Amino acid sequence: KEVADIKFSPDASLLAVGTHEMAIDILDVKKDLKRIHILKGHTAGLKHLDWSEDGKFLQSTSADYELLFWDVSAGKQVTETASMRDVKWATFTVPLGWPVSGVWPTDSDGTDVNAVCRSTAGDIIAIGDDHGLVRISRFPSIAPGKNEPAKSRDSLGHSAHVTNVRFFPDDSTLISTGGNDCSVFQWKVVAP
């Protein structure tokens, strides 16, 4: 299985492994990574996933821009999405949802943003896009108007699309990875 994203639960007792085979494996760390659930529901390969702060839920996105929510203990998809609106997320790396509506550029076709990552402090978000840009915006990044992105500080360095972005735990540094340029950049973080 090709792994797309992998994250420990906030208490490090569970490991979520998202694959391009449209599934998320939930593994029990204390039991030698025994699989306890396989979460299926996406219609394309998984791209990003996040745990809730209490470790009860996951949110995930797929290559076809589908945002799904999961009850981890039940091993089932949460279909009443309104019930998830007040969930606090330990990380935020899914590029879909209200808190990241402002990361999308004007007239986006839905493929322009490849990765996002909220800072540990929760006040800014990094965005990696198809144009080689690494952008920093306030979090939540809310679109100020229809088809209008939130303000951001944009940095160009990659000669091709940016495939991922992640903050260091202290938020002082951001790492970005490039696609066709096969590069890894280290950025000093300056808030917008």
Side-chain angles (χ1 to χ4, degrees):
K1 294 179 184 180
E2 187 177 339
V3 173
D5 201 353
I6 183 169
K7 287 196 178 83
F8 285 99
S9 60
D11 67 359
S13 66
L14 299 174
L15 182 64
V17 181
T19 69
H20 289 291
E21 295 177 6
M22 301 179 285
I24 303 169
D25 290 336
I26 304 298
L27 309 174
D28 190 327
V29 174
K30 296 175 185 171
K31 294 182 180 174
D32 294 325
L33 299 177
K34 178 184 176 194
R35 182 185 292 144
I36 58 173
H37 292 297
I38 300 174
L39 308 177
K40 292 184 177 181
H42 280 290
T43 55
L46 190 111
K47 298 290 272 179
H48 304 282
L49 60 86
D50 296 300
W51 286 93
S52 61
E53 286 183 358
D54 60 10
K56 294 179 180 180
F57 301 103
L58 282 171
Q59 64 178 351
S60 58
T61 55
S62 58
D64 61 352
Y65 297 90
E66 181 177 56
L67 172 63
L68 299 181
F69 299 98
W70 308 93
D71 180 327
V72 176
S73 63
K76 296 188 185 248
Q77 182 181 345
V78 176
T79 56
E80 290 291 325
T81 57
S83 68
M84 303 303 293
R85 74 174 159 218
D86 294 325
V87 172
K88 295 191 184 332
W89 299 101
T91 57
F92 208 102
T93 61
V94 299
L96 300 173
W98 178 82
V100 291
S101 63
V103 306
W104 294 91
T106 302
D107 298 322
S108 175
D109 66 0
T111 64
D112 300 287
V113 174
N114 299 317
V116 299
C117 182
R118 185 191 64 203
S119 63
T120 304
D123 58 340
I124 57 175
I125 192 159
I127 303 130
D129 71 19
D130 266 355
H131 308 289
L133 289 175
V134 174
R135 301 171 19 230
I136 300 288
S137 183
R138 298 201 183 282
F139 187 85
S141 181
I142 308 304
K146 184 179 179 191
N147 206 17
E148 188 178 346
K151 290 182 181 179
S152 63
R153 176 171 284 140
D154 302 350
S155 299
L156 181 60
H158 291 279
S159 63
H161 64 288
V162 178
T163 59
N164 217 337
V165 289
R166 291 292 183 268
F167 285 98
F168 275 24
D170 69 359
D171 294 335
S172 66
T173 305
L174 179 73
I175 299 295
S176 63
T177 56
N180 292 335
D181 65 7
C182 299
S183 61
V184 178
F185 282 31
Q186 183 174 325
W187 305 84
K188 180 180 178 183
V189 176
V190 178

